[in-house]
Every structure is written in C-alpha cells, then in structure tokens.
Amino acid sequence: MTGIRLHAPKPGWSVDADVVVVGSGVAGLTVALRCAAAGAKVTVVTKALLDDGSTRWAQGGIAAALGEGDTPEQHLDDTLVAGAGLCDDEAVRTLVTEGPDAVRRLIATGAQFDTDAESGAILLTREGGHHRRRIAHAGGDATGAEISRALVEAVRAAGIETIEHALVLDLLKDADGRAAGVTLHVMGEGERDGVGAVRARAVVLATGGMGQVFSATTNPAVSTGDGVALALRAGAEVSDLEFVQFHPTVLWLGPDAEGQQPLVSEAVRGEGAHLVDADGHRFMVGAHELAELAPRDIVAKGIMRRMQERGAQHMYLDARHFGAEMWEHRFPTILAACRAHGIDPVTEPIPVAPAAHYASGGVRTDLLGRSTLPGLYACGEVACTGVHGANRLASNSLLEGLVFAERIAADVTAGLRKAGAPGEALPPEASAAGTVLAGPKARLEIQRIMTEGAGVLRSRESLERAAAELARIDEDAAAALEAPGTESWEATNLLLVARVLVAAALRREETRGCHWREDRPDRDDTAWHRHLLVTLRPDRTLSVSTTGTAAFPSVTPDPSTTGAEPRSTT
C-alpha cells in the first residue's frame, strides 16, 4: 500500500459494503439513495448526526431554471460570468441542463419547497450574479434544513446502514492501488467504537468544506477539510483550493468572534435589502451593474474596500423597509439569529462583514465524479468538478451536489454490475511520516495564521509569512502521539489543507474571482487562464503544477472497473 497515513491504531472492527459514502449532506445522501435503489449495499459514514452537515445551514435555496422564461442557457451564462473565466464549460452545461429534473426528483423524494398559495407554482427569488429569479427556497430561509430532513427520512426509510459520530481517517486500497474502503474512528461507545474499517468496492467522499481553517466562518465545526486531506494522503489530485469564497454578509459579532458565524443569506439582498455604510450610503451602487446583487467576490471586495476607506470593522445590511411581517415569514431563521445577538433587523440595520464560506476547489473529478485515484469519487463541496471556477455562483452548490451525486451513483452501480470480485483491502500501514498535531491549540494557531495571511486580502508577503508559520507547526508536530484522537486528527487535516491553500495562493500571481492579491490587483489571462493541480509527495512536500488551459485534463481512471469511458483528454 502506498500513500501517507494518519498515525492511528489499527482497525479493531470492520464492515463490508458495495459503496461507502462519507458525508451526509445533499451530495452524500443522494448518492446513497440512488445506489441503494439500484440494489447496491451502501454504508453512510458521517462525522456527527445524519443531519449535522453543511447542507442544513444553507439558507438561500437551490438554483435551477424552473421559472417561466428562464432557460439553462441563461443559467449557464450567469455561472460562467461568476466563475471569472475558470469554469469548465462542459461541467457547467451538465449542471444547468440536468439541474431542473434533479430538483424535481428531490421534490419527489419528499422535499417541500415554498409555493404560491393559489397556483401551486414554486416560488423563486434572486441572489447575487443571477439575472433572473431562479432560486427555489423552503421554509422561507430554511432550504437546507428542509432538504436535509427529506433526504434523512428517505435514507432511514430505505434501511441504509449508517455509522454516525465517525471521523474518516484514511483510504484503504487493494493490491492494484484502487480504493477499497476507509478507516474511521467512531467517537463514543456503542456497538462500534474506536478505530474500524468499512471495506467497499467504491468510496464516495461527500465530506463538505474546510471553512474551519479560518477563525470566522459560516461552516459548522465539523468542516475541517477531512475529505481533501484524506484524498491528498492517498495520492489523489486536488485543484483550485486558493479560491475560497468569503460570503459578503455574515453577521458581525465583534472583532474577536471565532468559529461558526450566523449567515445573512444573499436572498435578503435578492428581496431588496441594501448594503450601506454608517452614513447610510449605498456604496455598491455604481460599483457594478447589479449593485448589491453582483457576484459574491465583487460584493465582498466592495465591502472590504469601504471598510478600509472608513476605518470600519463592518458595514450594514439595511432591510428595515421589509417590515415585520416579511421578516417573520420570509426570513424567520435570520430574524431569530439576529435577535438572539441583540439586533432587530425590523428596526435597525444589520452589521455585516465577509467570512469564509465555501471552497470552490477540492478533489479534482471528471463529469462522473471520479477522482484521479481509481475507485475514489468526490461530490459536493469536497470536490472540484470545474463548475464553480474562481467563484461559485450563489445557490449553485446544492444543485451541484444533486446533479453530480446522481451521476456518481449511475457510474458506481454500472461499475458494480460489470466488475468481478473486489480486490482485497490491504491492512493499513502506519506511515513513517505520519505526524499528528496536538489538538485544540494547534487548530486555533492554524486558524489565526490563515485569517491573517490568507483571508479575503492576500499578498506575497502575507502568504509567505503564513507558509513559514505553517511549516514551523508541521516541523514541530509530534512524530507519534501516544493516544491521538479526534481533535488531533482534525488539526492535522486542517494543517494539510492550509498548506495547500497557501501554496496555491502564492503560486497564482493575479487577482481573479475570490482570490484577491493586493500586490497583484489585476486579472492576468495570459499567464493564469488555467488551473493549479496539487498532489502530496511521499516525503509530505507539495507538488504544484498548472494545466495548459482553463480546461481540466482527463482523470484517466481504469475503464474496466467503472461504468463509463473516461472523459477525453484536453
């Protein structure tokens, strides 16, 4: 077996499945349901409870060309503009053409979207970067929670095996180097606890994002980049990690606020809220044709510039003109969060500032969700399909999870039907380079370094300083803690994804999308109309290369063990 592994005890128990899905958001549960419906034996592994991932926190909704007069072509155009020249056209076309029917299948699964009381038509709103109202929502501003509810109920009704409170550790491989399962650590006591293994013919990573690499984020505490770190250690390729989207309007809780911060959905601006400074001036008017509804990277930069000009720590989102009834019915979740922190948006503007929100990059995949490592798939925020380019268009994330989850399930189940006996999963080996960090202290230090050096505003100086500090943490890491645990493994994962993000941000010497280099303020299509590809060498150093164009090369998996032919090389 090749690859770097976390320092962990050997598995004390194991289970067998055709497919193991790691993660229980919209992407993971959709893969699980579709594979199970095709007759595959599926095991879902999730870090907390089934409904505790990032999906449940999605407020705004899911984007699809469902409205009268809207078309996939228009959705494609808006996505390409937001992606700042780095979207994969074929991936975006797949998303927008297959998206409407994928949403309808989600509704058939049980998700209930807000509808017009008289016509029964799905209500649609606008968000940043969209020229049409195409965002379907549920519960006003609780779309993710409703989607999660429907999918969790469907998974339980289908009798799919689930292992909760389980942190995935590393990939298992067979003698041919194919993915053959995962090792994991179950937190707590029960039928299964401690380190174990799920042996499977296919592994699907749907672990979500890595927002916890920064001090302030909209991501839940479980979003520590575990899937990207696992894939890197196993030898897979990741791409575009420098493109971290900072949501423009996150509730400002003070200069020392850390951890998950309350999101103020873009849908609030879609319904007519205004961004203003302390004097009530709408600073986005004139800065972009869509003003407050410009793509997120532009709005975040606009807020940061105004903050710098005024010496302020935040700006304001003013929606007092909505009135109490609209706030209570359209945005009840946001209203409650604001009031819980002493702010009443019915009578006063909401203090907001950008915070880490979404990773546009991740484990590089093809249009069937296949990574560069045979048998390993990735879907949702952990993946880099090429859909988002340098900046994700608002509410495309839930749709991407749906569309590519269905494609993964089709490929996995087709591969299971044509494949012979699975290769035997070899027992995990401890890596000679398997350092691990000492938990909470290291996590906080990584977050501080990344916030200061690789946040919304970056420069060569800040990134080089961050790289040096991260290298020091890596060098000081214990070669082997006697009793490593969840906090140590999470911090180790955060360190790895932080190193990759900083290395990519240093390499990309331009400003594009949500990657903002103060020392390189212009977009440079001549030198940087391409992607960065990163792998982890056996000595734990990073290999960073570039594609020749904005198109991704083929992942070239073994066609004899998958359900379709590889994507053509570009």
Side-chain angles (χ1 to χ4, degrees), residues 210-302:
M210 55 184 193
Q212 289 291 324
V213 78
F214 295 98
S215 296
T217 177
T218 62
N219 289 191
V222 295
S223 298
T224 52
D226 306 321
V228 170
L230 174 149
L232 281 163
R233 287 193 298 269
E237 195 170 76
V238 304
S239 184
D240 295 357
L241 249 60
E242 68 270 33
F243 297 118
V244 176
Q245 187 175 78
F246 287 77
H247 198 287
T249 53
V250 176
L251 183 62
W252 188 78
L253 300 180
D256 300 322
E258 296 179 341
Q260 186 178 7
Q261 312 288 299
L263 176 66
V264 182
S265 170
E266 202 153 293
V268 178
R269 281 176 280 140
E271 296 292 351
H274 304 145
L275 279 167
V276 299
D277 59 21
D279 295 330
H281 175 69
R282 287 181 63 188
F283 54 88
M284 286 304 298
V285 174
H288 190 275
E289 61 166 338
L290 296 177
E292 286 92 351
L293 286 177
R296 286 180 179 173
D297 63 314
I298 294 171
V299 178
K301 290 171 186 174

Side-chain angles (χ1 to χ4, degrees), residues 57 75 90 118 146 214-215 239 295 302 312 371 394 425-426 438 476 484 488 545:
W57 298 100
H75 190 183
E90 191 179 356
E118 295 183 2
E146 169 58 19
F214 295 98
S215 296
S239 184
S371 77
L426 300 179
D476 293 344
S488 298
S545 61

Side-chain angles (χ1 to χ4, degrees), residues 285-506:
V285 174
H288 190 275
E289 61 166 338
L290 296 177
E292 286 92 351
L293 286 177
R296 286 180 179 173
D297 63 314
I298 294 171
V299 178
K301 290 171 186 174
I303 291 173
M304 292 298 295
R305 287 194 184 101
R306 196 63 172 175
M307 287 165 55
Q308 289 177 323
E309 292 169 3
R310 301 299 299 267
Q313 294 179 309
H314 60 82
M315 290 288 109
Y316 294 93
L317 188 65
D318 192 351
R320 289 175 290 180
H321 55 285
F322 284 5
E325 183 177 355
M326 181 173 176
W327 268 111
E328 290 165 1
H329 289 88
R330 180 65 178 88
F331 301 111
T333 306
I334 299 170
L335 178 64
C338 289
R339 286 177 170 171
H341 291 283
I343 299 155
D344 189 350
V346 176
T347 60
E348 60 186 317
I350 305 167
V352 293
H357 181 58
Y358 189 90
S360 293
V363 181
R364 187 170 76 82
T365 73
D366 66 5
L367 295 185
L368 297 173
R370 299 177 297 198
S371 77
T372 55
L373 197 156
L376 178 66
Y377 296 76
C379 190
E381 190 172 355
V382 69
C384 182
T385 62
V387 159
H388 305 308
N391 181 57
R392 174 178 67 94
L393 180 65
S395 288
N396 267 356
S397 51
L398 291 175
L399 189 70
E400 182 195 32
L402 273 183
V403 168
F404 287 89
E406 293 187 340
R407 290 182 141 248
I408 286 173
D411 191 62
V412 167
T413 53
L416 291 175
R417 287 192 292 270
K418 67 188 288 190
E424 182 181 357
L426 300 179
E429 307 169 338
S431 167
T435 58
V436 66
L437 301 182
K441 182 179 178 181
R443 178 171 178 153
L444 290 173
E445 189 172 9
I446 292 165
Q447 292 171 335
R448 175 193 61 78
I449 292 167
M450 294 299 290
T451 299
E452 293 176 357
V456 180
L457 299 176
R458 304 165 179 175
S459 67
R460 171 166 291 282
E461 181 182 1
S462 75
L463 290 165
E464 286 180 342
R465 185 169 59 248
E469 292 186 84
L470 293 172
R472 175 183 52 77
I473 294 175
D474 193 35
E475 291 167 2
D476 293 344
L481 292 181
E482 288 186 10
T486 302
E487 292 178 336
S488 298
W489 290 317
E490 285 183 329
T492 303
N493 287 338
L494 282 174
L495 177 60
L496 179 52
V497 297
R499 289 174 55 210
V500 175
L501 193 162
V502 169
L506 258 173

Side-chain angles (χ1 to χ4, degrees), residues 97-112:
T97 55
E98 297 182 10
D101 283 344
V103 173
R104 295 183 185 103
R105 285 187 287 272
L106 177 63
I107 294 170
T109 302
Q112 299 177 11

